[in-house]
Amino acid sequence: MNELKALKSLLTQANRLRSTAPVDDGFPQVMDEFCLAIDRANSAQKGEPDDSISVLAVRQFSWVERMGWHNKTTLEALALIASEVGEAVNECRGEAPTEKLGEELADIILRTIDLSEWLNINIAEKINQKMAINEARGTRGRII
């Protein structure tokens, strides 16, 4: 566990260096591979598959962090999620959804899991809790 924290600290330092010093053309790819290796080690340590929502949240957060895009408020991040919903709506304006609808839905999820990771919200846990609440509520009088 301490080794993983040390790697994450090293990654943060390397990202700062990358943004301030000239680097060679291969450096960003090496950093991306390094970040992915850390994410996979973290998920393996937790026993999670590579495509679990928690792992995807960490990967998305790491990528957005490397891009330097965590420079907004929570409200701005929510507005960006809303803008992605608007883009998804536009893909459904015809008689049938366009082929791009899936990409727009993915954008909604990616922005949402990035925000959850940024705010230290365990989104997998919250999703499971909400699903249990919904199940317990039942139909609330709605006819099925």
Side-chain angles (χ1 to χ4, degrees):
M1 185 67 145
N2 288 334
E3 294 85 2
L4 190 56
K5 286 183 182 180
L7 283 172
K8 287 180 180 180
S9 175
L10 179 62
L11 174 64
T12 300
Q13 293 171 23
N15 278 326
R16 280 193 210 116
L17 178 63
R18 180 173 74 174
S19 66
T20 60
V23 295
D24 66 24
D25 292 338
F27 187 73
Q29 181 179 350
V30 169
M31 288 298 295
D32 288 345
E33 290 172 9
F34 182 59
C35 291
L36 187 56
I38 289 174
D39 295 343
R40 286 191 172 142
N42 193 27
S43 64
Q45 187 176 40
K46 294 178 181 177
E48 298 172 328
D50 279 351
D51 63 350
S52 73
I53 193 80
S54 297
V55 173
L56 294 174
V58 170
R59 285 179 54 200
Q60 179 67 8
F61 177 87
S62 296
W63 181 75
V64 172
E65 185 70 20
R66 289 192 311 276
M67 297 297 107
W69 295 341
H70 284 133
N71 57 351
K72 56 192 164 293
T73 67
T74 302
L75 287 176
E76 289 169 328
L78 287 168
L80 289 168
I81 293 168
S83 74
E84 296 296 349
V85 171
E87 290 177 18
V89 167
N90 285 334
E91 298 305 321
C92 297
R93 294 215 180 262
E95 288 187 30
T98 69
E99 290 180 15
K100 283 194 68 177
L101 178 60
E103 186 177 324
E104 297 304 335
L105 293 174
D107 284 342
I108 295 165
I109 292 167
L110 289 171
R111 286 198 182 273
T112 302
I113 64 176
D114 173 61
L115 179 59
S116 71
E117 192 68 21
W118 185 34
L119 297 174
N120 294 314
I121 295 170
N122 182 332
I123 196 65
E125 180 180 293
K126 294 299 180 184
I127 289 169
N128 281 315
Q129 288 173 354
K130 183 59 178 164
M131 289 174 72
I133 289 168
N134 291 346
E135 183 70 29
R137 285 180 180 163
T139 64
R140 288 193 160 182
R142 294 183 187 123
I143 298 172
I144 299 179

